[in-house]
Amino acid sequence: MGFEPKVLIVLGSDSDLPVMATACSTLEEFGVDYSLRILSAHRVPQEVAAVAGDAKNHYQVIIAAAGMAAHLPGVIAAYTTLPVICANASRRTGSHRGDWRGQECGPPGSANFGYRP
């Protein structure tokens, strides 16, 4: 039995799809199996918790696309021991000094790797 990497990509909204299209095409280019789910930490928190809690049975890593509030990656990380990669899906390119929103994940298109021991 060979190792087959599997990635779960979670978007807070279907409006994040264009931003994450590059991630999906890159995974496909490298032959990495992935699943994509659209789940809002604000609208369906129980479903997010259930998916994150069960993810360790199917995936090795989770990519969570965070919008302006950047809550989705943190909520997912609270319910899994898998690594969670925060991808900035915000269309906003910068933020004013002292505003953590949009900086938590870095500039649009960047990723911030979270680790939970």
Side-chain angles (χ1 to χ4, degrees):
M1 177 187 289
F3 177 77
E4 184 177 341
K6 294 186 180 181
V7 176
L8 173 60
I9 299 174
V10 184
L11 311 177
S13 167
D14 61 359
S15 66
D16 298 332
L17 283 168
V19 176
M20 294 305 295
T22 301
C24 294
S25 62
T26 300
L27 291 172
E28 290 168 5
E29 180 182 334
F30 285 99
V32 177
D33 185 30
Y34 71 93
S35 295
L36 190 137
R37 299 284 307 265
I38 298 173
L39 299 169
S40 169
H42 300 283
R43 290 183 222 112
V44 291
Q46 295 87 357
E47 190 173 352
V48 172
V51 168
D54 186 53
K56 68 182 176 296
N57 298 319
H58 309 284
Y59 305 100
Q60 284 80 39
V61 65
I62 299 171
I63 300 173
M68 292 290 288
H71 292 143
L72 185 60
V75 171
I76 290 172
Y79 291 98
T80 187
T81 56
L82 291 175
V84 177
I85 299 171
C86 175
N88 187 342
S90 175
R91 291 340 166 259
R92 199 167 102 177
T93 58
S95 60
H96 62 284
R97 187 179 305 262
D99 183 359
W100 63 268
R101 295 174 300 166
Q103 295 178 11
E104 181 174 321
C105 292
S110 69
N112 196 2
F113 297 86
Y115 172 73
R116 289 179 48 104

